[in-house]
Amino acid sequence: MKIPTLLLALLVVSSHAAPFDRSIKTTENFEPTIPRSEQDKAVAEKLASLKSTTGKRPNILWIVVDDMGYGDPGCYGGGAAIGAATPNMDKLAAEGLKLTSCYSQHTCTPTRSAILTGRLPVRTGLTRPILAGDKITKNPWADEVSLAKLLSDSGYYTLLTGKWHIGESEGMRPHDVGFDEYYGYYPAQKEISQSKDARRYPDLVDNPERLAAFEAIKPDDHLIHGFKGGKTEKVSQVKSTEDMGRADKVLADFTISKIKEASKSDRPFFIEHCFMKVHCDNFPNPDLAPLSAAKYAYKEAIAEVDLHLGEFIKTLKEEGILENTFVFFTSDNGPQMDGWPDAGYTPFRGAKGTTFEGGPRIPGIAYWPGMIEAGRQSDELFDLMDLFGIGLNLAGVSTDKLPDDKYYDFIDQTSFLLHDEGESKREAIYYWWGTTLTACRMKEYKAHIKVVLPQTTHMHIDMSTLQNVGLAPWLFNLYIDPKEQTPVGHRRNAWLATVTGKLKTHGATFKKYPPKDVGLGM
């Protein structure tokens, strides 16, 4: 039977149509990726040309803010409009690539471990912050390979400045897991300042017996300076909230000094600068004049972060290495609304501690003059774990260096960021709450199978519950419903089964590559 010409044409078009899920698995223990061969080739040539000019691999500078909300920077809708102008963040976005669908984990320790291992926290066991009194059953880093180690082994100088929060026991510190040098504080600033703040914690600070009991289990409140294979010393102790307020200036000055020092070396550098701010409890630096219009502690913290960001970029330029440095500016998760008004802003539903968009959807700005076209903006998917793959690519480190008995969740997104018309190679974002898989996003569609619901205003951690969604997954179209208020799965969407199928395929990877338990189970 002869097929009509029009029908034949339709069949030909259909046979060449791209499937909804464009990702392809090329290696069993790696996340499937969307093929972008021409894009990859063009960027590889671009990097090779730069190396032939500079004579060395590019520097890498990650700048990670603690608990900054998606809507805090001016370039993301906040800034001066909500009481704290962010001219340096805004300039970075205007001269680089602003990502509007950039994702972290739902809280700090999981994100910080994920970007350094390229693996989801449920795979490493680092599913939540390590708090005072926690008993870790085994060192989660013992069988992990960090990006810092891989880059150090390949000739990079590696430094982490600021907050760590992924373990302070020997074997778990930054200079134990691959960084050549560490200068910072192991815990979050609230864990340090609470024993010095009688106004917020009178039942602790003004009770000698309880304070003595806390002193026996508290995290280290010293500024630590450690070296790989060398000494670890306590530089100074935080003895007051004023000391805590000064901490980020001390840390920023150290990073600046190291950038200057490294600029004179033949070795490229990988520096991860992690601010203590803007995690509650925030304290203004008493040596700086009020920096924000709002004057509230959180807004002062945002303004100070912006100030130091500008100093970092200025230093790179003055040292003549700006054009050979990949800079990425971001937050480790969304705002901790439980601390309000000492908390940030997100336009999305939820906050830190949840897997609604307000928890893991964060600012992400990639900046590299001459390599990243100024003024770009993309809503394509990017996970902070992808920084692991970018780091390997820029340093020329093969993924063959990674063990084949572990599953890797990162995707090398170098060409997405560096190509003038780059497209993401990531097809899906997976949302985990501790050891529980809760949701999946593909394109603008997001399906929840479990949700974290606050029981009162702002209490997304201290008064919330993890619940099943009921008869069907809650599928939201984030383009028409970014606040995730009305599911459209069975009414106005054809892709519910596809997105939930992707989620099931992801879950199946844990059969051969089981999760690790280090005693932090939720």
Side-chain angles (χ1 to χ4, degrees):
M1 183 178 72
K2 187 175 180 181
I3 301 175
T5 303
L6 178 59
L7 178 58
L8 180 62
L10 289 172
L11 288 172
V12 170
V13 170
S14 176
S15 68
H16 288 88
F20 187 84
D21 184 351
R22 301 157 294 172
S23 64
I24 297 174
K25 182 176 281 292
T26 57
T27 307
E28 185 185 61
N29 64 322
F30 281 72
E31 180 69 12
T33 64
I34 302 171
R36 308 279 191 200
S37 57
E38 292 302 314
Q39 177 177 291
D40 291 344
K41 180 182 177 182
V43 167
E45 292 172 353
K46 193 174 184 179
L47 286 168
S49 176
L50 179 68
K51 188 184 177 195
S52 68
T53 301
T54 62
K56 66 176 184 179
R57 293 279 178 181
N59 305 306
I60 301 169
L61 174 61
W62 293 353
I63 304 166
V64 183
V65 189
D66 200 356
D67 289 3
M68 179 176 67
Y70 182 98
D72 282 325
C75 50
Y76 284 86
I82 57 172
T86 55
N88 292 304
M89 298 181 202
D90 302 347
K91 188 172 188 291
L92 204 71
E95 297 179 358
L97 165 61
K98 182 176 78 169
L99 300 170
T100 55
S101 285
C102 179
Y103 288 87
S104 65
Q105 302 302 311
H106 72 294
T107 188
C108 50
T109 296
T111 295
R112 293 165 192 273
S113 62
I115 60 178
L116 287 172
T117 62
R119 286 160 40 83
L120 282 164
V122 68
R123 300 194 197 275
T124 64
L126 290 160
T127 54
R128 66 166 175 82
I130 302 169
L131 304 173
D134 275 333
K135 303 295 182 184
I136 302 296
T137 56
K138 63 181 177 181
N139 181 0
W141 290 100
D143 60 348
E144 298 291 339
V145 182
S146 76
L147 179 65
K149 182 183 187 306
L150 292 164
L151 267 57
S152 178
D153 289 349
S154 71
Y156 272 68
Y157 162 67
T158 58
L159 165 72
L160 190 142
T161 308
K163 176 185 173 180
W164 174 237
H165 218 203
I166 324 179
E168 57 185 75
S169 301
E170 189 170 349
M172 296 178 63
R173 304 167 302 183
H175 47 297
D176 297 328
V177 305
F179 284 98
D180 296 320
E181 190 171 359
Y182 171 63
Y183 191 83
Y185 297 91
Y186 294 137
Q189 62 179 6
K190 181 261 184 185
E191 295 170 53
I192 296 173
S193 64
Q194 60 189 353
S195 61
K196 286 85 175 165
D197 187 1
R199 185 179 69 84
R200 279 185 171 99
Y201 308 96
D203 55 331
L204 172 64
V205 179
D206 294 336
N207 187 319
E209 184 177 328
R210 292 180 187 176
L211 186 59
F214 180 74
E215 290 288 329
I217 63 167
K218 72 175 185 179
D220 202 320
D221 57 4
H222 289 82
L223 176 60
I224 304 295
H225 197 183
F227 298 87
K228 182 195 295 183
K231 63 181 180 179
T232 301
E233 61 181 0
K234 297 182 177 183
V235 178
S236 60
Q237 184 179 21
V238 174
K239 297 181 179 180
S240 66
T241 57
E242 289 78 16
D243 288 346
M244 195 75 261
R246 292 184 174 98
D248 272 308
K249 176 69 165 63
V250 173
L251 296 169
D253 287 348
F254 184 84
T255 290
I256 288 169
S257 71
K258 286 297 177 176
I259 290 174
K260 291 179 178 179
E261 183 180 312
S263 70
K264 299 172 177 60
S265 169
D266 291 333
R267 297 174 68 190
F269 64 73
F270 165 45
I271 297 176
E272 180 182 358
H273 183 96
C274 298
F275 282 97
M276 302 301 290
K277 293 180 170 77
V278 293
H279 189 299
C280 64
D281 302 322
N282 285 289
F283 302 96
N285 185 330
D287 303 324
L288 297 175
L291 300 171
S292 72
K295 305 298 189 292
Y296 274 76
Y298 182 86
K299 302 298 184 178
E300 288 294 294
I302 285 288
E304 185 183 348
V305 164
D306 187 78
L307 174 69
H308 298 315
L309 170 63
E311 293 170 344
F312 296 155
I313 302 303
K314 180 182 178 183
T315 302
L316 292 171
K317 186 174 183 179
E318 289 176 347
E319 296 301 312
I321 57 173
L322 185 61
E323 286 74 21
N324 198 37
T325 303
F326 168 67
V327 178
F328 197 90
F329 176 82
T330 191
S331 176
D332 64 344
N333 47 247
Q336 184 170 330
M337 295 309 298
D338 294 64
W340 189 90
D342 193 1
Y345 171 69
T346 179
F348 304 116
R349 182 175 182 176
K352 175 183 177 179
T354 82
T355 52
F356 285 109
E357 294 294 281
R361 192 165 174 180
I362 36 86
I365 302 172
Y367 176 77
W368 193 351
M371 295 295 285
I372 294 177
E373 185 178 31
R376 280 181 63 203
Q377 178 174 317
S378 176
D379 191 57
E380 296 199 31
L381 302 183
F382 186 89
D383 193 297
L384 290 187
M385 284 187 294
D386 299 341
L387 290 172
F388 184 95
I390 294 170
L392 293 182
N393 190 322
L394 297 183
V397 177
S398 171
T399 55
D400 292 342
K401 299 280 187 181
L402 301 175
D404 57 13
D405 63 343
K406 289 180 169 53
Y407 193 92
Y408 283 89
D409 302 281
F410 75 88
I411 288 174
D412 177 7
Q413 295 266 48
T414 308
S415 66
F416 170 35
L417 302 191
L418 268 57
H419 195 284
D420 289 351
E421 298 175 354
E423 296 178 283
S424 177
K425 298 170 68 176
R426 175 172 287 281
E427 189 67 276
I429 296 290
Y430 304 106
Y431 303 73
W432 284 81
W433 189 87
T435 57
T436 302
L437 179 58
T438 64
C440 172
R441 177 181 175 183
M442 296 180 71
K443 302 177 174 62
E444 68 266 36
Y445 308 122
K446 179 181 177 183
H448 293 260
I449 53 174
K450 290 181 182 288
V451 289
V452 178
L453 298 177
Q455 301 305 296
T456 189
T457 304
H458 295 326
M459 294 291 104
H460 298 276
I461 299 174
D462 285 343
M463 197 174 179
S464 64
T465 57
L466 178 66
Q467 300 182 19
N468 292 321
V469 294
L471 294 178
W474 292 3
L475 187 138
F476 298 100
N477 182 327
L478 296 176
Y479 280 175
I480 62 173
D481 184 18
K483 291 183 180 293
E484 299 172 276
Q485 295 175 319
T486 305
V488 295
H490 286 93
R491 298 182 302 108
R492 302 181 68 90
N493 193 272
W495 303 109
L496 177 61
T498 304
V499 179
T500 53
K502 187 73 167 176
L503 190 148
K504 291 175 184 177
T505 300
H506 171 67
T509 64
F510 290 86
K511 292 179 180 178
K512 182 171 182 179
Y513 305 96
K516 189 194 303 182
D517 182 7
V518 301
L520 292 176
M522 304 296 273

